[in-house]
Amino acid sequence: MNGDAAHRVAPRTGRVVVIGAGIVGCSLADELTARGWRDVTVLEQGPLAAPGGSTSHAPGLVFRTSPSRTLTAYARYTVEKFGALRVAGRPCFLPVGGLEVATTEARWQDLHRKAGLAAASGVEGELIGPKRCAELFPMLDPDTVLGGFHTPGDGLARALPACRAQIRRAERRGARFLERHTVTGVERAGGRVTGVVTDRGTFPADHVVSAAGFWGPVIGALAGVEVPLLPLAHQYARTAPLPALAGAGGAERAEAVRPILRHQDHDLYYREHLDPEGGPGRIGIGTYAHRPLPVDPYTVPSYDEAPVMPSSLPFTEEDFAASWTESRRMLPDLAGSRVEEGFNGVFSFTPDGMPLLGESHQLRGFWFAEAVWVTHSAGAARAVAELMTDGRTTVDAHECDPHRFEKAQRSPAYVRDRGERSFVEVYDVIHPLQPAERARPLRTSPFYPRQCELGASFLESGGWERPHWYEANAPLVEELGLRLPERDSWSARHWSPIAAAEARITRERVALYDMTPLRRLEVTGPGSLDFLQRMTTNNLKKRVGSVTYTLLLDEAGGIRSDLTAARLGPDRWQLGANSPADLDWLVRHAPEGVHIRDVTSGTCCVGVWGPLARELVQPLTPADFSHEAFGYFKARETYVGHVPVTALRVSYVGELGWELYADADVGLRLWDTLWEAGQRLGAVAAGRGAFNSLRLEKGYRAWGVDMTTEHTPEEAGVSFAVRPAKGDFTGRDALAARGPAARRLVCLTLDDDAAVVMGGEPVHLDGVVAGYVTSASYGYSVGRCVAYAWLPADADVPGTPVHIEYFGEKVAATVAAEPLFDPEMARIRR
């Protein structure tokens, strides 16, 4: 790949200092200089040839398939970029392929799921039998496996040569790389970085990028910035030379020719280390099967003090014993061999296992490029370079936002607990709804005691305990005569038929939903209307008491978020938002006099929805809640019983009702008031299982799942929230310049009323993978599974047949007109 040809931009004048010349720092310098940045300095505490961080010892595995489409895209770019780099005539990426094997039925089924994820992301892969597994990796005993998933385009990144190749290229464009410079301070003034202090001088800077790997928390502390990252040691060993691998490198004397083998049922992986002279090669063995071994980055020795290198800690043989026993069972050729050398290599883990990419909210000009493994290194570096250059990324990166963790999730104890969990679960079969077990409960709504009394089954998101159904409603399944199709074992996890009963009661009576975890921002001050008009897509110039659904776009017209904007006063607004990034985006652009703050933690919310919602709420309030006095998408401040509330007549489930907001200190009283009054109407508490089913039946999108910055309003089916005629707003010109949408978010219903899909699956159109499912749930009101999927625009024709691949099976589905339920909106407006 010719980096200069890929980016024709004017030279940048900002001074950039990158801390760390590992694979991420070198990739970033290459990406920045390719985009015209010329004043780029990379500081490294060790020698450039092998700086001593994780890059220096990383085995180089690149597996592209991931439940995260973002990580898959990063890995694909890493393969593409490193595959085009050569050092001393040798490539920096070896496409030896990848082979994951299954020794249990659960893993074998998971490989079918992974094959679907791969197909949905355009990664070539094939499910194969034991015999073919042994042909690809001859040392493997075929009798020990049920089958495997072979991805021929995966392979090994030669990280240190890739660093050297990118250093040379970046230097030709003007970058400089300085080794043996230990960072001792980060200078700042007026909330911005101004320079980096080292033991060999100070370097003025407009931008500082921390690409320090597991030293990230140390650099962050020097800058006064939190870095939610935990260094952990991971064992890697090499066998003694094996006669079976003599001459295996062939005429090219490659260091590996057979696929990387992953035995994830025992948290193991294997790669070849062949002798370039043709002698006996060795097998490298990596394991995550040992206890978590957290490392204090402040105690890691310096390069010159380390026995081998800073990131290579002494090998703890007792932790490797079980992995060695299992390896000899899987690979019988190891039976007569031994572990000749090993080390505990330090890597970075975050609470959710995702990287930290982007600019700090605490210190402007301070950027994160942390918790990135070699697998995703080039793609992650490209994302940071795009953010620094364009303010947006080609591939949506909200999963990697360094501030995605709430304040309550950034304590050292939480980062350690969840970081260790990320390590333990690296190779586990993880269900998309699977909640964490540790550091819970952390965030609870004021209604939590009552939810526990009702037998709530809690899952977790953003640290919040979120009820998915209530065991107290179990008798309703029989009382309502619900006859639900039997679910497969995967879709039955973290699900209960009680959710169907709660959905039915919402449609027929009324239910209480805890909406407290939804983010709430308060915007006040003169000029707030003009500010929000400029930042969002819809026309907010409406009377006090109006509520408007609107979007936040980036400069290219991509959907940064969606908002519900309630005008509570001439210069006072309540915004329903999505992530901490929404707050930061608005704060960055707010003019003097406009104040924005997150009020989520100090408030709570109950969604009261169903045809009897008015009968429940009206007797409790002095305000007129009739349709004529309190219309749809209207707001007012009043009382429910003794509790002051802000009531918004909005509904995410497609039924009559209100969101009732109150201060957290009176939240429990609000719940009790509603609950007591609701008993005569047969009201129930309902959870997220019912909620998700109901919202999909109404075609309501979920930002971050159904739509992101990669999508425009027209593509995502939310162009009704865009009003170009109102005047200028962020993204308006970009939308006007776009041609017709080439893809659309399309509603699908499964033909078999007993079939269920979960999301992430590939969608086949005319026998070819043409898109993927974003979110799905069984629609209890429509009697079949509902799925939303990104497909070519010309497929958005009701009646178009498609197939969704679910665990290797092709499930028939049909494009449907939306919304599926109450398209006339009669129920919500009565």
Side-chain angles (χ1 to χ4, degrees):
M1 173 182 292
N2 186 323
D4 289 316
H7 308 285
R8 301 294 187 186
V9 295
R12 301 280 166 174
T13 57
R15 298 165 297 179
V16 179
V17 174
V18 179
I19 301 173
I23 189 61
V24 178
C26 292
S27 296
L28 178 59
D30 181 54
E31 294 288 336
L32 286 173
T33 55
R35 286 166 172 78
W37 297 77
R38 294 294 177 255
D39 193 344
V40 177
T41 300
V42 182
L43 303 175
E44 173 54 51
Q45 64 177 343
L48 291 175
S54 302
T55 298
S56 301
H57 71 249
L61 281 62
V62 179
F63 282 86
R64 293 165 294 170
T65 304
S66 168
S68 166
R69 292 181 62 83
T70 298
L71 291 188
T72 294
Y74 290 172
R76 290 182 63 180
Y77 183 73
T78 299
V79 168
E80 176 188 352
K81 183 175 187 179
F82 291 177
L85 296 175
R86 302 184 75 84
V87 173
R90 299 178 63 197
C92 294
F93 178 78
L94 304 177
V96 296
L99 175 62
E100 299 178 52
V101 294
T103 60
T104 64
E105 187 60 36
R107 181 69 62 178
W108 182 230
Q109 289 302 311
D110 190 57
L111 292 187
H112 283 75
R113 183 176 71 100
K114 282 190 174 179
L117 292 174
S121 295
V123 175
E124 179 186 0
E126 178 187 15
L127 291 164
I128 58 177
K131 180 179 178 182
R132 179 58 179 154
C133 289
E135 290 173 354
L136 290 169
F137 202 95
M139 297 181 72
L140 175 67
D141 179 359
D143 293 333
T144 63
V145 301
L146 300 177
F149 178 48
H150 179 221
T151 46
D154 291 339
L156 295 167
R158 301 176 62 234
L160 290 177
C163 284
R164 292 196 293 273
Q166 293 178 102
I167 287 173
R168 288 201 300 265
R169 197 155 70 177
E171 285 179 332
R172 288 197 298 268
R173 305 187 193 113
R176 58 176 175 167
F177 290 75
L178 303 177
E179 62 183 8
R180 300 290 189 172
H181 281 64
T182 299
V183 174
T184 59
V186 176
E187 295 183 331
R188 50 200 189 271
R192 289 197 60 88
V193 293
T194 59
V196 176
V197 182
T198 76
D199 57 352
R200 299 178 66 177
T202 298
F203 297 83
D206 302 298
H207 302 273
V208 173
V209 185
S210 179
F214 62 81
W215 284 288
V218 178
I219 300 302
L222 294 176
V225 170
E226 290 180 318
V227 182
L229 177 159
L230 178 71
L232 284 155
H234 155 63
Q235 289 197 305
Y236 191 79
R238 298 190 192 197
T239 67
L242 298 166
L245 295 181
E252 294 186 3
R253 302 301 187 200
E255 63 184 74
V257 294
R258 297 184 179 90
I260 308 158
L261 176 66
R262 290 202 290 183
H263 175 25
Q264 294 180 305
D265 285 321
H266 282 263
D267 300 310
L268 287 159
Y269 64 82
Y270 308 91
R271 62 151 292 183
E272 294 176 317
H273 292 279
L274 302 180
D275 181 359
E277 302 302 321
R282 302 188 290 177
I283 290 291
I285 306 171
T287 178
Y288 295 95
H290 55 81
R291 60 193 169 95
L293 299 168
V295 175
D296 182 351
Y298 289 93
T299 64
V300 174
S302 67
Y303 190 93
D304 293 323
E305 294 173 342
V308 180
M309 65 178 70
S311 63
S312 182
L313 304 182
F315 190 62
T316 51
E317 294 185 12
E318 65 276 13
D319 290 309
F320 194 73
S323 294
W324 180 238
T325 298
E326 176 62 20
S327 296
R328 287 182 291 176
R329 186 186 72 85
M330 287 285 291
L331 310 177
D333 285 346
L334 301 184
S337 186
R338 70 183 191 282
V339 174
E340 187 170 84
E341 61 181 7
F343 62 93
N344 290 4
V346 186
F347 287 81
S348 301
F349 288 81
T350 59
D352 62 2
M354 295 292 287
L356 304 171
L357 308 176
E359 188 177 10
S360 170
H361 298 179
Q362 298 169 278
L363 181 63
R364 298 307 184 200
F366 186 88
W367 298 80
F368 297 88
E370 295 289 8
V372 180
W373 292 7
V374 171
T375 307
H376 313 109
S377 54
R382 178 181 65 170
V384 176
E386 289 175 336
L387 286 169
M388 295 177 68
T389 304
D390 305 320
R392 71 183 308 272
T393 55
T394 303
V395 176
D396 179 74
H398 81 273
E399 292 177 300
C400 305
D401 188 304
H403 301 281
R404 63 187 179 274
F405 304 112
E406 305 289 346
K407 184 176 181 180
Q409 297 176 290
R410 297 198 295 266
S411 70
Y414 186 93
V415 172
R416 178 177 175 127
D417 281 348
R418 291 298 176 89
E420 290 183 354
R421 173 179 176 264
S422 293
F423 176 90
V424 170
E425 294 182 345
V426 163
Y427 280 171
D428 286 359
V429 176
I430 304 296
H431 192 276
L433 295 177
Q434 183 171 319
E437 296 178 359
R438 300 176 65 180
R440 292 181 60 197
L442 181 63
R443 307 178 78 189
T444 60
S445 80
F447 322 135
Y448 183 72
R450 300 295 183 261
Q451 293 167 342
C452 291
E453 292 169 5
L454 293 171
S457 178
F458 292 101
L459 301 185
E460 183 218 31
S461 178
W464 287 101
E465 296 297 320
R466 308 184 78 166
H468 272 242
W469 65 85
Y470 294 86
E471 287 297 328
N473 296 326
L476 290 172
V477 176
E478 288 299 321
E479 291 175 18
L480 296 171
L482 299 180
R483 296 293 179 261
L484 301 174
E486 184 175 349
R487 289 202 168 205
D488 65 278
S489 60
W490 184 252
S491 65
R493 293 189 196 180
H494 310 296
W495 172 85
S496 169
I498 298 171
E502 294 172 358
R504 173 75 70 83
I505 294 299
T506 305
R507 293 282 190 229
E508 296 181 352
R509 302 182 207 163
V510 61
L512 307 184
Y513 288 82
D514 182 2
M515 305 303 289
T516 300
L518 296 185
R519 186 172 305 279
R520 291 172 289 288
L521 306 180
E522 180 185 78
V523 181
T524 58
S528 56
L529 171 60
D530 291 340
F531 165 65
L532 291 174
Q533 283 282 75
R534 187 173 69 254
M535 296 301 298
T536 72
T537 60
N538 213 332
N539 187 5
L540 304 187
K541 194 174 183 179
K542 301 176 182 177
R543 294 178 181 176
V544 171
S546 65
V547 180
T548 307
Y549 177 78
T550 188
L551 307 173
L552 289 177
L553 304 183
D554 61 24
E555 295 290 352
I559 303 172
R560 286 187 58 94
S561 187
D562 61 345
L563 306 175
T564 301
R567 191 174 192 183
L568 304 180
D571 299 311
R572 184 164 65 92
W573 304 75
Q574 177 178 297
L575 304 183
N578 287 296
S579 74
D582 296 343
L583 174 64
D584 180 65
W585 179 252
L586 293 171
V587 168
R588 284 179 183 236
H589 292 86
E592 187 176 351
V594 173
H595 306 284
I596 307 167
R597 66 187 185 104
D598 190 324
V599 297
T600 309
S601 296
T603 55
C604 60
C605 178
V606 183
V608 183
W609 292 312
L612 302 183
R614 184 174 285 114
E615 292 184 43
L616 172 56
V617 178
Q618 183 62 85
L620 304 175
T621 178
D624 185 350
F625 270 47
S626 67
H627 180 65
E628 294 74 19
F630 198 159
Y632 186 55
F633 262 74
K634 293 294 186 282
R636 65 173 49 180
E637 294 176 294
T638 183
Y639 295 87
V640 169
H642 298 89
V643 180
V645 300
T646 300
L648 272 59
R649 190 174 166 191
V650 296
S651 172
Y652 206 50
V653 300
E655 294 291 338
L656 170 68
W658 291 264
E659 292 179 354
L660 302 176
Y661 296 89
D663 290 339
D665 59 346
V666 290
L668 189 57
R669 184 63 176 266
L670 174 62
W671 179 276
D672 289 344
T673 300
L674 293 166
W675 181 259
E676 181 180 350
Q679 295 315 292
R680 65 181 177 84
L681 302 172
V684 301
R688 299 292 295 187
F691 180 87
N692 200 45
S693 171
L694 297 170
R695 71 101 177 165
L696 284 171
E697 290 179 334
K698 284 297 294 182
Y700 294 149
R701 278 64 167 148
W703 184 86
V705 179
D706 300 316
M707 56 188 186
T708 68
T709 55
E710 296 180 25
H711 311 111
T712 67
E714 181 186 2
E715 293 171 335
V718 290
S719 55
F720 63 86
V722 181
R723 294 288 185 269
K726 74 167 184 173
D728 190 34
F729 58 82
T730 302
R732 179 175 181 262
D733 292 343
L735 293 183
R738 284 180 175 263
R743 58 181 176 175
R744 293 188 184 276
L745 187 63
V746 174
C747 178
L748 307 175
T749 56
L750 274 59
D751 294 356
D752 182 349
D753 61 10
V756 175
V757 298
M758 298 288 292
E761 299 89 356
V763 180
H764 297 254
L765 179 66
D766 297 328
V768 178
V769 175
Y772 64 95
V773 174
T774 58
S775 53
S777 178
Y778 198 86
Y780 302 113
S781 306
V782 300
R784 62 190 62 247
C785 186
V786 181
Y788 273 78
W790 282 102
L791 288 174
D794 56 9
D796 188 13
V797 178
T800 300
V802 298
H803 286 83
I804 302 173
E805 185 177 334
Y806 183 70
F807 286 90
E809 299 293 328
K810 302 293 194 308
V811 181
T814 303
V815 174
E818 57 172 328
L820 297 170
F821 186 83
D822 188 27
E824 297 83 14
M825 299 287 284
R827 298 173 70 92
I828 207 169
R829 296 181 183 273
R830 56 189 172 188

